[in-house]
Amino acid sequence: MSETTRAGDPGRTLRAVQISSLGTYVPPRVLTNSQLEQMVDTSDEWILKRTGIRERHIADDDVATSDLAVEAARSALAGAGVTAADIGFLVVGTTTPDTFFPSTACLVQDRIGATRAWGFDLGAACSGFTYSVTTAMQMVASGAHDHALAIGADVMSRIIDYQDRTTCVIFGDGAGAVVVSPAADPELRILDFAHEVDGSGGPALRMPAGGSRLPASHDTVDQRLHYVHQDGAAVFKFAVRKTSEICHRILDRNGLRAADVDLFVSHQANRRIIKAAAGQLRLPEEKVVINIDRFGNTTGATIPLALADALADKRLKKGDLVLLASVGAGFTVGAMLVRWAY
Ligand code: UT7
């Protein structure tokens, strides 16, 4: 039976799906708070206190999102013990694609040699990773494909205004990728996902120009409209409220309590947001992964970068119940429950 026929079979039973491996990549160059002090009117003390960030990685001028994504994807493939040719589907959650078209997914597909894969880019800003994993999971659960790649990758430094102290201190560049496959042990799988959008929040976080609404012109460049514009306080409040709300919802409907969670891995936008949300969930500090100090907000890459640190520190182990959460521009909101498979 061809893959197309299998994928279209409406009576097909869903399969349990696991995250088989994780790969990450950050560009080597580091931008510290003290370097930012030389660029805008800010201070190491303010940045650390208000955001928790000490430094972030910044791509060189000739490096684009697909370059980071390819490195992360290759590392994830090696970890899963599958070849690029085994991948049937790939999705790249990104806000900073190399170009509008071709998609970054097409560039990655070609570079890694995923000769049998199809795929696309997914626009969900800081929820790019949770949404991408959910999408890839469906491809495997349905039986359409045996192995899929979900990538979150961004070169935020390309759309950040390094004259705007309210945004330039926050963001960094990076990528993370996971291979999702049928679960070897049905207990160790992605248990559930919960996603929402609230489009009424759009004005709070956006890049005003460059799309079909306001195409690039001398004016849009002069007015600095090709950069991230943010109402920080509005995003902050929404993020705290929604992170805890969606986490409560996904736990409740799985008959779980916060006490059952072994590790909480939230999007890393601001240490205060993560701490406030974790507090509302009554999660003790040792169950909360925070690595924003080293990477800043890498948009689609924060959750895989945090998972990678937790794996390296052995804070994340086979069988652990992991709660992922994200809030991003849109607004997009996401949560996933994963019984870690390796
Ligand atoms: O991934 C999703 C995307 N983004 C987010 O989740 C971000 C959510 N928001 C935040 O993380 C925080 O709102 C920020 C970090 C962006 C700002 O922190 P805040 O504590 O909300 O500060 P604020 O915007 O209320 O500003 C307080 C003061 C202001 O000065 P005045 O008006 O009180 O004199 C700002 O101008 O801090 C000033 N300020 C700075 N001072 C030094 C803003 N940015 C800076 C800076 N350095 N970099």
Side-chain angles (χ1 to χ4, degrees):
M1 204 187 292
S2 80
E3 293 216 330
T4 319
T5 323
R6 283 173 53 201
D9 179 354
R12 199 173 174 86
T13 316
L14 291 183
R15 302 189 287 188
V17 177
Q18 68 177 22
I19 292 177
S20 300
S21 69
L22 170 77
T24 57
Y25 181 78
V26 290
R29 184 153 61 97
V30 168
L31 177 65
T32 63
N33 289 352
S34 57
Q35 287 171 303
L36 280 163
E37 284 175 352
Q38 313 302 313
M39 296 159 67
V40 289
D41 179 16
T42 191
S43 66
D44 174 48
E45 191 196 353
W46 190 96
I47 302 171
L48 198 54
K49 190 160 160 232
R50 306 307 293 172
T51 71
I53 302 167
R54 288 177 194 278
E55 59 186 34
R56 64 292 286 143
H57 289 249
I58 302 291
D60 285 340
D61 289 349
D62 59 346
V63 172
T65 296
S66 67
D67 299 317
L68 309 190
V70 162
E71 295 294 336
R74 284 188 178 136
S75 157
L77 287 170
V82 298
T83 67
D86 295 323
I87 298 297
F89 172 78
L90 86 163
V91 53
V92 181
T94 185
T95 308
T96 52
D98 290 29
T99 52
F100 268 180
F101 64 89
S103 70
T104 304
C106 291
L107 303 174
V108 173
Q109 176 273 336
D110 181 47
R111 293 261 304 279
I112 64 174
T115 46
R116 294 170 57 236
W118 67 286
F120 46 78
D121 290 357
L122 184 152
C126 297
S127 296
F129 183 74
T130 52
Y131 283 28
S132 292
V133 174
T134 299
T135 306
M137 171 199 172
Q138 301 310 310
M139 295 297 170
V140 176
S142 67
H145 300 291
D146 283 337
H147 302 286
L149 254 177
I151 302 172
D154 275 297
V155 178
M156 291 304 290
S157 58
R158 287 300 133 70
I159 59 165
I160 293 302
D161 184 351
Y162 285 95
Q163 293 182 18
D164 175 6
R165 69 174 183 175
T166 69
T167 51
C168 76
V169 301
I170 300 171
F171 293 94
D173 303 335
V178 291
V179 172
V180 296
S181 316
D185 174 343
E187 300 291 315
L188 304 181
R189 63 188 169 94
I190 300 172
L191 300 173
D192 199 6
F193 62 88
H195 300 310
E196 287 176 17
V197 295
D198 178 355
S200 71
L205 184 49
R206 65 199 185 111
M207 186 169 88
S212 58
R213 178 66 63 193
L214 202 53
S217 67
H218 287 292
D219 256 9
T220 60
V221 172
D222 290 346
Q223 292 175 53
R224 311 186 81 73
L225 299 179
H226 296 273
Y227 293 124
V228 171
H229 288 244
Q230 171 171 258
D231 175 348
V235 180
F236 190 102
K237 278 186 213 144
F238 183 85
V240 173
R241 179 168 63 82
K242 269 297 172 179
T243 302
S244 66
E245 209 176 286
I246 197 121
C247 288
H248 276 303
R249 182 145 72 81
I250 199 169
L251 288 169
D252 285 352
R253 76 181 188 202
N254 284 277
L256 294 163
R257 291 169 309 124
D260 298 315
V261 172
D262 295 303
L263 209 62
F264 176 54
V265 183
S266 173
H267 169 55
Q268 311 276 310
N270 186 316
R271 185 176 56 194
R272 290 186 295 137
I273 294 177
I274 303 167
K275 285 197 164 228
Q280 288 185 10
L281 288 161
R282 294 178 196 282
L283 284 166
E285 223 167 80
E286 63 271 16
K287 292 188 174 184
V288 181
V289 180
I290 299 183
N291 69 351
I292 193 170
D293 52 322
R294 288 164 40 232
F295 301 115
N297 180 351
T298 53
T299 301
T302 64
I303 292 176
L305 285 171
L307 286 168
D309 272 0
L311 280 166
D313 295 348
K314 305 212 173 356
R315 288 178 75 187
L316 173 54
K317 300 173 297 300
K318 185 174 180 173
D320 279 354
L321 181 66
V322 187
L323 175 60
L324 308 180
S326 62
V327 170
F331 291 123
T332 56
V333 182
M336 302 190 82
L337 269 176
V338 183
R339 186 65 76 180
W340 202 255
Y342 68 96

